[in-house]
Amino acid sequence: MLPTQPYMVNMGPQHPSTHGVLRLRLVLDGETVLDAEPVLGYLHSSKEKLQEEHTYLQTIPITDRMDYLSAMNNNLGCALAIEKLAGIQVPERATYIRVIMSELQRIASHCFAQGTLLQDMGAWGTPLMYFLYEREQILDIFEMVCGARLTYNYIRPGGVSQDLPPEFFPLVRKFLAEFPAQLDDYERYLKDNEILRARTVGIGVFPRELAINASATGPTLRASGVPWDIRKADPYCCYDRLEFEVPVGQRGDCYDRFMMRLYEMRESLSIIHQALELLPPGEWKAPVPLVIRPQPGDAYAHIESPRGELGYYLVSDGGASPWRFHVRAPCFINLTALRDLLVGHKVADVVVIVGSIDIVMGEVDR
């Protein structure tokens, strides 16, 4: 038998499994991946540079457009960095509102990740529609609170743009009462599903040491057995007053990354329950000038976004705009070890591995 000849194939830059405009340059031997190189930049929008031309308040709407599946979390990380830089104190009520909205956003983001990953595996449209139905309920809640369904500009320096309306509470409690049963169904149908396990168990293993050395974070890291969560390791807002677990996996494969998000949604429900019970009355926003001029200096604030550690580093020269605005994007860093996860697998596995990392290219190509 004649030896096969390696050849190069471009997957993307429009392949649906990449959740954005990512190109993978694959070197194949038949269907087996010999080498892989992610090619970035197709969605580059220079957001970091743009932020240096805006006032501090004007930077918030642009953060919505980075990870557009978790815009609330992006707003929060940026607001915390600005508050740290400018010495702004946030009212207690706003702190709890931020946590409630961030955890609702985490559930919505994970629902989208789970549904699209199953779709990438060839599960047709049924699981995706079920997960999108749950996500739509959260988007309805967000629309009630701030008038938007995708890019919110809700969490701002000093607090939030407006208080929670009275209709918010019965709608959220209804969701909290109904969603656990839905999660039970998803886990019962999917956890031991033979097709899901055949496509994910042992596929795209991210060894613990490699995950740590690659600076991976979020469900991608925790699936490899590392219990690292910014909400526990360096608490912000009121997370140090709330009780929740940090789920971890064992193998670090696609299956563990999938299950991490199911488990994390349960913990988010618990956090929202507690935050609602502890939500104090009072002001929802501190008085903040329209043009913030922090003293010269720098500040870094980070949060646990649905995809991992999202950090904002700001440098002030005393002016109305940041002198330097830099983002530690978890999607970009989680993507750096992609070659190690792909080599040795089949082309069909590439789709599943990329989907299991849950990459949003708007954050990678910022």
Side-chain angles (χ1 to χ4, degrees):
M1 180 182 294
L2 293 175
T4 57
Q5 192 74 22
Y7 60 101
M8 194 270 284
V9 169
N10 281 299
M11 180 177 281
Q14 299 292 351
H15 196 281
S17 76
T18 59
H19 304 282
V21 194
L22 170 67
R23 173 185 170 199
L24 293 175
R25 189 184 289 124
L26 303 176
V27 177
L28 306 176
D29 179 6
E31 290 284 315
T32 303
V33 178
L34 300 181
D35 197 7
E37 179 188 1
V39 183
L40 314 177
Y42 289 91
L43 206 58
H44 183 57
S45 49
S46 194
K47 292 184 180 69
E48 289 185 354
K49 193 64 182 175
L50 281 172
Q51 303 288 46
E52 296 168 12
E53 304 298 324
H54 291 79
T55 66
Y56 286 90
L57 292 181
Q58 289 173 336
T59 62
I60 300 295
I62 299 180
T63 64
D64 283 319
R65 275 86 183 161
M66 289 192 303
D67 182 352
Y68 35 78
L69 292 178
S70 59
M72 285 285 184
N73 304 90
N74 281 264
N75 292 170
L76 176 58
C78 185
L80 289 175
I82 294 171
E83 290 157 2
K84 192 173 183 180
L85 187 65
I88 299 170
Q89 295 296 318
V90 180
E92 194 75 357
R93 181 176 178 83
T95 296
Y96 281 89
I97 292 174
R98 287 175 166 189
V99 167
I100 292 168
M101 303 304 274
S102 295
E103 294 306 317
L104 285 171
Q105 182 74 91
R106 192 182 313 279
I107 295 172
S109 177
H110 283 353
C111 282
F112 196 87
Q114 301 296 72
T116 52
L117 178 56
L118 291 165
Q119 181 88 342
D120 292 342
M121 291 183 205
W124 295 95
T126 303
L128 176 62
M129 292 299 105
Y130 271 93
F131 277 110
L132 288 185
Y133 172 76
E134 311 297 347
R135 179 174 178 265
E136 283 296 307
Q137 295 183 68
I138 296 175
L139 299 192
D140 288 343
I141 294 170
F142 287 166
E143 186 176 21
M144 171 195 294
V145 173
C146 67
R149 296 176 64 84
L150 185 68
T151 52
Y152 308 107
N153 189 26
Y154 178 66
I155 299 174
R156 302 180 184 180
V160 294
S161 65
Q162 53 194 327
D163 200 3
L164 300 174
E167 308 83 36
F168 171 85
F169 298 97
L171 196 60
V172 168
R173 289 197 168 94
K174 179 176 181 290
F175 175 78
L176 294 177
E178 295 176 352
F179 190 50
Q182 297 297 101
L183 276 177
D184 290 341
D185 285 343
Y186 299 147
E187 191 169 337
R188 182 168 63 251
Y189 295 139
L190 297 171
K191 184 176 181 179
D192 296 316
N193 182 281
E194 59 181 301
I195 299 175
L196 173 67
R197 293 184 66 88
R199 295 298 307 275
T200 58
V201 174
I203 303 298
V205 174
F206 205 171
R208 176 189 172 96
E209 291 303 316
L210 176 60
I212 294 171
N213 292 337
S215 297
T217 53
T220 301
L221 175 66
R222 292 189 286 273
S224 299
V226 183
W228 177 261
D229 189 311
I230 302 299
R231 295 172 295 176
K232 289 279 192 182
D234 188 14
Y236 53 95
C237 292
C238 58
Y239 280 108
D240 56 342
R241 289 166 252 170
L242 306 174
E243 295 181 6
F244 61 97
E245 301 297 325
V246 178
V248 293
Q250 297 176 338
R251 293 177 298 268
D253 55 10
C254 291
Y255 181 81
D256 278 353
R257 289 191 284 276
F258 180 85
M259 294 305 299
M260 281 305 98
R261 297 184 180 93
L262 284 181
Y263 298 148
E264 286 187 9
M265 286 192 276
R266 293 190 186 279
E267 298 303 321
S268 291
L269 291 173
S270 173
I271 291 171
I272 297 168
H273 266 297
Q274 296 173 65
L276 284 172
E277 292 300 319
L278 297 172
L279 181 65
E283 294 296 322
W284 40 269
K285 187 178 182 183
V288 174
L290 188 61
V291 179
I292 303 171
R293 297 178 185 273
Q295 293 295 317
D298 63 345
Y300 177 76
H302 57 174
I303 67 164
E304 185 68 34
S305 88
R307 271 152 280 281
E309 181 184 349
L310 173 65
Y312 288 86
Y313 176 67
L314 306 183
V315 180
S316 169
D317 60 359
S321 303
W323 183 81
R324 181 71 175 96
F325 188 105
H326 178 64
V327 181
R328 185 217 184 271
C331 287
F332 176 73
I333 295 175
N334 291 346
L335 188 65
T336 57
L338 188 58
R339 179 188 179 277
D340 298 275
L341 274 61
L342 295 180
V343 170
H345 289 292
K346 304 297 183 183
V347 173
D349 298 326
V350 173
V351 176
V352 180
I353 294 168
V354 173
S356 73
I357 302 175
D358 189 20
I359 300 163
V360 175
M361 292 305 296
E363 185 180 89
V364 175
D365 288 338
R366 67 202 176 283

